[in-house]
Each structure stands twice: as C-alpha cells, then as structure tokens.
Amino acid sequence: MDKTFTIQQSFKGAKTMGTLYLVPTPIGNMQDMTLRALETLKRVDLICSEDTRNTLRLLNHFEIKVPQESFHEHNSQEKIPKLLDFLKAGQSIAQVSDAGMPSISDPGHDLVRACIEREIDVVALPGPSAGITALIASGLAPQPHVFYGFLPRKRGEQQKFLSSKVNYPETQIFYESPFRVADTLENILKVYGDRPVVLVRELTKIYEEYRRGTISEVLDSLTQHPLKGECLIIVSGAKEQVLETIAPELSPIEAVKMLIEEGSKPNAAIKQVAKERSLNRQALYAEFHDL
C-alpha cells in the first residue's frame, strides 16, 4: 500500500538529503526580489531554470554564480530522476520559473510530487505572483477567486471551457498573450455576457496599465490602443440567480443539484440556494452531503 501520510519539518532535525526550494522571481521589476530569495539562490548547489538565458540575466544582476540546469516542459521527465539523485546525495536545488512563483505554469509541480513521494523536503518561498498582485488592485472582488492560468488556444475548446465556468460566482483570473487578448475577450463576452472585467498589462513595469470596465468597453479600447507586453484578464464572477423564479417547483436539494449541473461548485450552489430560500446553510450542507 502506498504511503500517503507524511510530516515535513522543514527547519528542524538533522537532514541527510538536500532541500528543493521553490524560489519566486520578479515579474518585471528587479527590486521585487526578496532578501530571502537572494540568499537562497546564493547558497543552493544548483538552480533549475525554465529558461537558463532569462535566469542568467537575473543572476548576473545580483552577482550570483551558482550553476544552472535547464528544466522546462519539454525535458522535465528526463531531468527529474537526475535532480532526485542530486537531492538524495545531500545537495540542495532552487527551482525558478521565468517570472513569479514557480510550479504554477511550469513543470515544477511534477518535481514537487516526486520529492514528496521520496520524503525530500520541499520549501516554498513567498514572493511575486502576477495573478494575486493584479487581483488586489483590480477593484473586482478578491474573495472568492479562482486562478485558471492560460485558457485553451482553440476557439471551440476555449468556449467549451468557459461554458463550464459561466455560473461560477468567483472572480476569475486568466493569463493571455497580447496577440490573443481580443479574441479571448470576444469569446468571454459571447459565453458570459457583458460582465465587468479588468485587463492588466506589463505588471510592475514602467508601462503598467489597468483597463477597467465591461468586456465590451475594454474590447472597444483595444481598437484605438492595441496591447503590448504581458497580459492578465480578470473577470467578475456570475451574479446570483433567483432560483424561486427559475425553478420554484424544485426542492432545495434539487435546486442545488441543478446549479451544480450548470457549472456551479457544490458549496457555492448550497450557499446560493440557502440565501435565496432563507434556509440554514449548514443544515442544507449536511442534508446535501448526507451527514
């Protein structure tokens, strides 16, 4: 039987193996590099980089001489065994992405899982995250929120994905290429309707910009002021539906199931039904989950 329960005490006890450090890097402004991140990069034995050329500019800027190992989506599976042997030999590794927090939009998660399975310590350092940074200045509700990263590129797959999220009440965060932003916003408008949206570009850089408005207003702005640089799209969550008007004949549990079938998460559906029908949310939760 596979072992599933472990306890990691990151900074206590004698260590016979190295540590995998997940080190965030600036998303644009070099001054966002933390003192702890710099110290970690200086003292590890190896730095795993999504793009060694990009990371070398960072290392040169801070006069860090630690060797790098290329580690990206195209070579991660062949590199992981080598990196595990390195860690088991007592040497430590810092994993970095091109910008921001590692192990989100790069293959670091596979390395993290492999380390955990072998009880090699994994230590994450806090630092820059484009999605959260943009969210808290967007003006849209910061809680609850959900981060999706990059949407599917093909139009049909993108619309299918969005259709499954259309009733989610959470503020939604997406990454997107400036060359695809207009097409993606058109798809979101078609599926979601004309919701509030914030388009963010060049976060933390000299040309940082927030375009706030409805989806159609932001789309109109793109015709006059085309985009350049790194982009994020932050979309308002769905407004609560009035279930008594839509399906008054349904029982509360049936109404919850209907919302889930339409794309809502179970807890969000329970909260919505309880609020609309003036029910005790915890009691409805217990009934739904047969507690």
Side-chain angles (χ1 to χ4, degrees):
M1 183 176 181
D2 292 338
K3 185 177 181 180
T4 57
F5 178 78
T6 62
I7 297 177
Q8 172 183 313
Q9 292 186 315
S10 303
F11 308 110
K12 290 185 177 181
K15 305 293 183 181
T16 59
M17 295 188 285
T19 297
L20 173 64
Y21 293 95
L22 306 178
V23 181
T25 54
I27 55 180
N29 192 321
M30 286 288 193
Q31 293 182 358
D32 291 332
M33 196 70 180
T34 69
L35 294 175
R36 185 182 174 199
L38 289 173
E39 181 61 31
T40 301
L41 290 179
K42 289 177 182 177
R43 64 181 171 83
V44 294
D45 301 290
L46 182 69
I47 298 172
C48 288
S49 308
E50 187 176 5
D51 186 327
T52 55
R53 295 164 300 179
N54 184 67
T55 302
L56 183 60
R57 288 192 289 271
L58 174 75
L59 299 180
N60 286 341
H61 183 82
F62 292 106
E63 300 181 348
I64 297 171
K65 304 298 183 181
V66 176
Q68 293 189 74
E69 180 82 20
S70 172
F71 184 69
H72 50 72
E73 61 178 335
H74 302 297
N75 68 10
S76 61
Q77 294 309 308
E78 65 181 75
K79 290 290 183 76
I80 285 176
K82 174 183 177 181
L83 298 176
L84 291 174
D85 288 342
F86 194 85
L87 289 160
K88 287 188 285 187
Q91 297 177 293
S92 292
I93 294 174
Q95 193 240 324
V96 301
S97 68
D98 283 345
M101 297 295 291
S103 299
I104 296 177
S105 297
D106 61 52
H109 176 67
D110 293 334
L111 179 58
V112 168
R113 292 290 304 170
C115 287
I116 291 172
E117 289 171 3
R118 291 158 181 79
E119 297 191 36
I120 296 170
D121 287 353
V122 179
V123 174
L125 277 63
S129 171
I132 296 299
T133 302
L135 173 66
I136 61 173
S138 69
L140 299 180
Q143 290 187 347
H145 71 264
V146 59
F147 169 77
Y148 289 119
F150 286 96
L151 283 161
R153 292 191 179 189
K154 293 183 179 179
R155 183 181 184 86
E157 293 177 2
Q158 192 176 97
Q159 289 185 354
K160 182 179 179 181
F161 178 89
L162 292 168
S163 294
S164 70
K165 317 299 180 187
V166 65
N167 290 321
Y168 281 24
E170 297 91 350
T171 300
Q172 300 175 18
I173 306 169
F174 304 103
Y175 289 160
E176 191 51 282
S177 159
F179 307 107
R180 295 193 297 269
V181 162
D183 289 341
T184 295
L185 285 174
E186 291 280 6
N187 278 342
I188 295 174
L189 177 62
K190 181 176 180 179
V191 177
Y192 285 9
D194 206 10
R195 293 187 192 178
V197 68
V198 179
L199 178 59
V200 187
R201 75 176 186 97
E202 292 294 88
L203 199 60
T204 78
K205 302 176 186 177
I206 189 67
Y207 294 109
E208 177 177 292
E209 180 180 88
Y210 288 79
R211 300 190 190 189
R212 302 179 176 96
T214 62
I215 298 174
S216 62
E217 288 172 334
V218 172
L219 272 169
D220 287 343
S221 78
L222 294 178
T223 62
Q224 298 181 19
H225 305 286
L227 286 177
K228 292 182 181 179
E230 304 283 336
C231 297
L232 295 97
I233 299 172
I234 306 177
V235 187
S236 177
K239 292 183 178 179
E240 294 181 348
Q241 299 175 10
V242 182
L243 290 176
E244 292 291 355
T245 302
I246 298 172
E249 74 282 0
L250 296 182
S251 70
I253 296 300
E254 289 171 336
V256 170
K257 291 179 178 178
M258 184 192 77
L259 281 181
I260 293 172
E261 289 174 359
E262 292 179 351
S264 294
K265 292 183 178 179
N267 285 355
I270 290 168
K271 180 180 179 181
Q272 184 173 333
V273 172
K275 181 177 180 180
E276 170 62 28
R277 302 192 179 190
S278 300
L279 300 174
N280 183 287
R281 180 169 57 86
Q282 292 176 328
L284 183 58
Y285 179 93
E287 183 181 355
F288 178 79
H289 290 286
D290 197 25
L291 298 177

